[in-house]
Amino acid sequence: MIKKLVIAIAMLIPSFGAGYSAFAAAPAHEQHVQVNKNDKELLARLVSAEAKGEPYAGKVAVATVVLNRVDSSKFPDTVKGVIYQKGQYSPVSNGQINKPADKDSKKAVEEAINFQGQGKGSLFFFNPDKTGDQWLRQKQETIKIGNHVFAK
């Protein structure tokens, strides 16, 4: 009985997690960011540090924000450039970016790469309990996943 229930639920929920389906509801862009092996590893380390303790869907969404930024004319045009842009990500300044990525973060990066152009155009994310940044809070919210608010 339990096995049938698990199978039924698995068929209803996309492989990338229940919360991500709403995040990925936007139609895909035609343009895709090219991501090499080094970019994937760097992005996975950022996701691991930024989304530690968050649901899998939140990890995919964090990676998607970075890819959306690379695709945006408002940010640097490489994964490395976006991640190391001054003042953008606390794991860069506190050294957490140098710690190895966990398995789920690596998987989340692969999923974000496969679903590029989706994510409702989110370019920002923040934890409202950990930041008082009013500029971020004024951005248009796209979705909440776990403790993060995603916005554009």
Side-chain angles (χ1 to χ4, degrees):
M1 177 71 173
I2 292 176
K3 184 176 181 181
K4 287 181 182 179
L5 181 60
V6 170
I7 291 170
I9 291 170
M11 292 174 69
L12 294 173
I13 299 173
S15 65
F16 39 77
Y20 186 70
S21 60
F23 186 78
H29 281 185
E30 293 177 19
Q31 184 176 355
H32 292 295
V33 175
Q34 296 301 312
V35 184
N36 65 37
K37 182 180 174 183
N38 291 336
D39 289 340
K40 286 180 186 179
E41 180 59 32
L42 178 62
L43 184 51
R45 291 193 328 252
L46 178 75
V47 168
S48 191
E50 283 283 2
K52 187 174 187 168
E54 293 295 318
Y56 178 76
K59 293 175 188 293
V60 175
V62 167
T64 300
V65 165
V66 173
L67 296 174
N68 287 349
R69 285 184 174 200
V70 174
D71 199 28
S72 169
S73 62
K74 299 175 184 178
F75 296 92
D77 60 0
T78 65
V79 170
K80 185 177 181 179
V82 165
I83 291 173
Y84 284 107
Q85 185 177 17
K86 186 175 180 176
Q88 295 301 302
Y89 297 107
S90 57
V92 172
S93 58
N94 68 22
Q96 295 296 308
I97 191 80
N98 300 314
K99 292 189 175 184
D102 60 55
K103 186 177 175 182
D104 277 351
S105 295
K106 290 178 181 180
K107 183 179 173 189
V109 165
E110 291 295 336
E111 191 147 343
I113 291 167
N114 290 332
F115 288 96
Q116 280 188 71
Q118 299 181 26
K120 299 183 178 183
S122 297
L123 293 171
F124 308 96
F125 64 90
F126 62 96
N127 181 332
D129 293 335
K130 293 185 177 182
T131 185
D133 188 325
Q134 292 305 308
W135 182 83
L136 269 176
R137 290 172 182 271
Q138 292 175 3
K139 295 291 182 189
Q140 179 185 345
E141 182 179 316
T142 56
I143 194 166
K144 289 180 184 174
I145 302 176
N147 293 313
H148 283 143
V149 172
F150 294 83
K152 59 181 177 180

